[in-house]
Amino acid sequence: MATTGKTNRFGLLGRNISYSFSQGYFTQKFKDLGLENHSYENFDMQSIEEFPQVLQQENLKGLNVTIPYKQDVIPYLDTLDPKAAKIGAVNTIQFTQNGLKGFNTDAYGFQVSLQPFLKPHHTNALILGTGGASKAVKFVLEELGIATTYVSRSPKEGQLTYDDLDKEIMEENTLIVNCTPLGTFPNIEHKPAIPYEFIGSQHLLYDLIYNPEKTAFLKEGEKQGAALCNGLEMLKGQAEKAWEIWNNS
């Protein structure tokens, strides 16, 4: 586990997160704000059982949570913000006088990044993947009045498999959000197995991945004339909301 001499330490919980956006973003932010006593570190954990060890570190003031711990971390928290409780996933932890409080700022980041691209015909959405981030996506889309359907390799009731996706389903769902890690650097040739030939100019493809900037999923949509958005603005939005929460503790 990392240790620094800083008096205000923040960090990211995840697995294999050396590529993380957050560390670079907050390190630059602290530099820009002249906060020399602040640091942001990666806490790379192979299992959630390592979380209590992280908590023994000195001067921790706030944490972000990424794959695969956004749901696993919840039992370790003392309270949940109502929105995080409803979503069922946490990506921001506030250290309060009453213990650890979990928030979900992914929802805020997703909404502010998505809204400039939405058109009136985007009334139905497919959510590819069912992990922690997909829960925030579903929450936001339902708040916006957009009907959602999960697509999963091992679907539960009410969800679709990738093999279910036919011309009719693809044409009805003009918003498609990739919440899987497929296409993340370095495996940039990977993409969700959807029938891209049924995508057209009415479609908006949103990928939560930001590295590479244009994933194989987005490139396929671009070939078909779809509008595209990657996850970078969502990450910036959720990071700024997390910073706001930490400063209110």
Side-chain angles (χ1 to χ4, degrees), residues 44-249:
D44 215 312
M45 309 188 305
Q46 288 310 299
S47 80
I48 194 64
E49 281 78 30
E50 295 172 39
F51 183 43
Q53 287 173 255
V54 175
L55 294 177
Q56 288 170 11
Q57 302 263 329
E58 293 182 355
N59 300 323
L60 282 180
K61 306 296 184 189
L63 292 167
N64 289 127
V65 187
T66 190
I67 295 169
Y69 302 127
K70 292 183 182 187
Q71 292 156 270
D72 295 349
V73 79
I74 291 174
Y76 292 86
L77 307 178
D78 299 292
T79 53
L80 285 182
D81 173 73
K83 190 174 280 190
K86 192 170 179 186
I87 292 169
V90 162
N91 76 317
T92 300
I93 299 172
Q94 182 188 41
F95 286 62
T96 75
Q97 290 178 328
N98 301 317
L100 302 178
K101 184 171 183 179
F103 291 81
N104 189 302
T105 69
D106 279 337
Y108 171 82
F110 178 63
Q111 184 162 343
V112 295
S113 62
L114 175 73
Q115 280 190 296
F117 294 89
L118 284 180
K119 300 275 171 43
H121 65 265
H122 293 134
T123 54
N124 294 276
L126 296 176
I127 301 173
L128 311 181
T130 56
S134 75
K135 291 176 164 38
V137 167
K138 182 178 174 67
F139 175 84
V140 169
L141 295 178
E142 289 179 347
E143 292 257 294
L144 294 172
I146 297 170
T148 63
T149 306
Y150 275 127
V151 183
S152 174
R153 287 178 301 177
S154 47
K156 294 176 180 163
E157 194 176 340
Q159 301 177 355
L160 299 173
T161 69
Y162 287 90
D163 291 337
D164 290 331
L165 303 178
D166 58 16
K167 184 172 188 285
E168 186 181 351
I169 290 170
M170 294 296 287
E171 288 178 354
E172 182 187 3
N173 291 274
T174 50
L175 172 58
I176 304 174
V177 185
N178 178 36
C179 299
T180 78
L182 290 171
T184 309
F185 181 85
N187 302 311
I188 59 172
E189 73 285 353
H190 294 176
K191 60 183 182 289
I194 65 173
Y196 293 95
E197 65 270 23
F198 300 133
I199 288 169
S201 59
Q202 296 288 292
H203 279 84
L204 166 59
L205 269 58
Y206 188 113
D207 202 327
L208 266 58
I209 295 168
Y210 63 94
N211 183 14
E213 193 175 317
K214 196 179 285 178
T215 57
F217 167 73
L218 293 181
K219 284 178 180 174
E220 290 294 334
E222 187 175 45
K223 284 183 203 167
Q224 301 294 117
L228 315 176
C229 184
N230 71 14
L232 188 58
E233 291 305 315
M234 174 180 172
L235 276 168
K236 290 177 183 175
Q238 65 82 19
E240 288 303 318
K241 182 59 80 172
W243 179 237
E244 190 182 300
I245 287 166
W246 295 332
N247 280 296
N248 286 331
S249 55

Side-chain angles (χ1 to χ4, degrees), residues 24-36:
Y25 186 83
F26 278 107
T27 300
Q28 187 61 48
K29 184 176 184 66
F30 297 156
K31 191 176 173 184
D32 292 345
L33 294 173
L35 299 172
E36 293 176 9

